[in-house]
Structure formats: C-alpha cells, structure tokens
Amino acid sequence: MPTSQSPAENTTALKSLRWRRAFILVVVLWIGSSILLSTTWFRAWVSYPLHVSNMTTNADIAYVMSDGHAYWNRLYAASDLYHMGQIKKIAVQENPTSSRYDFVLRRSQTVTQRSIRYLNSLGVPENRIVTVPGTKDPTLGSWSEAQAFADEFRETPNVVVVTSSPHTRRSLLCFERAMPASCQVTVIADSLPDEGAELFAPIWLEYGKLAVYWFVAR
C-alpha cells in the first residue's frame, strides 16, 4: 500500500512545485523577451510612445541635438529641411572635442568644425549655420542644451528640434520648458521609429530619462 505523506511533506512538495513553475515561467519570459527585443519591429513598437514628430509649418531655425552615434544622421535631416525651404538656419552646439582626421585638410578638426564642414558638403551655406555655446553640465545634457539655446535665441518665434526618434519626446519637453511661451517649439525625428540608428540602444534607459527630465527640467 502507498504510504501517505505527512502535512509537512505535502507543504514542502507544494512549495517545490511552485518554485519550479516560477523558474520555468521566468526562463520562458526571459527567452521570449530576448528574442522579441532582438527584432526591429518589436523594439520599434516598444519605443513608439517616445516618438514625436510634429513639425507642420516652417521654422526660422532648426537646432540639431548633439552627441550620440546618430548625430550625423540628424545633421543630414536638418540639411533636408533647409533644402526643402522649411527652415532658414541650422544651429549646432559648440564642441571643441577633436574629431576624425580630415585627409583633405590634412589635420584633425573639432566636432563643431566637422559638423559645419559636413553641412557644407550637403549644400548648406556656412552663413546659414550658427553655433550655440557648449553645455557645462553634461549630466542632464538635453536640458542643458535647451537652456543654452534659449539663452542665445530667446527672441526666436519658432524653432524645430532635430533629433533621433527615441529622444524626440524628451527633447520637446526640454525645449518647451526652456523657451518662452511665445516661441512655437516643434520636433522632428531624423527617421521613423523602426529605421533609426538609435533603435538598438537601451530603450528602458530612454523611459527612465524621460521620467527624470519631467521632474527636473523646470
């Protein structure tokens, strides 16, 4: 005859079963999320709430958000806006950091110089490019950039911020709070959510940054 288990043994067996089920569930979720998050369409879907692109009218000036491996994509997008007649000037942040060696000039350039040279190569005249002083506090870079722009161009009636798709909502928040209420602030992404160079950067970090900026950028 089978021996009956004691209440203590039944409790131990039940706990063991629950732990096994929980472990299997965690493994399945981890594998599933890893596979899904490695696909472009799912990462774009997850990052979609971060995406804003609301430029509907022309603007006097476009400010290109600096830094990041997608910076040159943003410059390209800003040059497109210029050639389409949607903006009059392009503003970039002053960055004295040494950039790549220029074989034509036979010397290295700063990031600012290379940015201007790149825009020139895209057909943007140098007199249509302006610079904004660099930020002193890189901790909250987007907010610092917005404040630096506001200090230089406070009387600007409208500005469009050009940045990467996952950064658009955060950048719009910063510029709307930094600029006077009389300034119309819009933002445009350098690509669609599923095509940008920032697509494979940590998406959770962008949500965290947005929450921080919401409370800090005042």
Side-chain angles (χ1 to χ4, degrees):
M1 295 181 61
T3 58
S4 59
Q5 293 181 320
S6 67
E9 289 175 328
N10 287 334
T11 301
T12 301
L14 184 59
K15 287 183 178 180
S16 178
L17 178 61
R18 288 176 178 174
W19 275 110
R20 284 198 299 270
R21 288 176 176 175
F23 176 77
I24 293 173
L25 178 62
V26 169
V27 170
V28 170
L29 290 175
W30 179 77
I31 294 175
S33 62
S34 297
I35 293 173
L36 286 173
L37 288 173
S38 67
T39 61
T40 301
W41 68 267
F42 186 76
R43 291 182 64 84
W45 179 77
V46 172
S47 68
Y48 195 79
L50 299 168
H51 176 85
V52 183
S53 197
N54 62 352
M55 183 182 184
T56 57
T57 60
N58 293 352
D60 286 351
I61 188 169
Y63 179 77
V64 182
M65 297 298 289
S66 65
D67 295 334
H69 55 276
Y71 178 55
W72 307 99
N73 292 8
R74 301 170 198 159
L75 291 173
Y76 198 102
S79 73
D80 282 347
L81 294 178
Y82 173 79
H83 289 300
M84 290 188 295
Q86 293 186 268
I87 57 172
K88 298 175 182 178
K89 293 183 178 181
I90 297 176
V92 297
Q93 184 189 51
E94 294 177 4
N95 188 339
T97 305
S98 180
S99 185
R100 301 171 184 172
Y101 183 80
D102 191 308
F103 284 90
V104 176
L105 300 177
R106 295 184 178 180
R107 59 179 173 83
S108 295
Q109 293 183 297
T110 65
V111 173
T112 304
Q113 292 170 330
R114 191 171 180 84
S115 302
I116 294 173
R117 184 171 172 80
Y118 182 63
L119 287 170
N120 291 160
S121 72
L122 296 173
V124 181
E126 193 159 346
N127 63 358
R128 293 295 179 179
I129 305 170
V130 295
T131 60
V132 177
T135 59
K136 297 180 180 179
D137 181 14
T139 306
L140 296 171
S142 298
W143 177 232
S144 297
E145 285 188 61
Q147 290 178 305
F149 181 88
D151 290 341
E152 293 292 313
F153 299 98
R154 185 161 294 277
E155 303 303 320
T156 299
N158 44 57
V159 56
V160 57
V161 184
V162 184
T163 190
S164 304
S165 173
H167 303 172
T168 47
R169 191 170 296 279
R170 168 162 48 94
S171 298
L172 179 62
L173 167 72
C174 291
F175 273 77
E176 283 182 334
R177 293 184 177 181
M179 294 298 291
S182 58
C183 178
Q184 180 185 5
V185 179
T186 56
V187 65
I188 192 167
D190 64 359
S191 65
L192 296 174
D194 60 344
E195 297 177 351
E198 299 275 5
L199 183 62
F200 292 98
I203 297 174
W204 66 268
L205 187 59
E206 289 304 322
Y207 280 100
K209 286 182 178 180
L210 180 61
V212 171
Y213 277 81
W214 179 267
F215 291 103
V216 175
R218 298 291 181 181

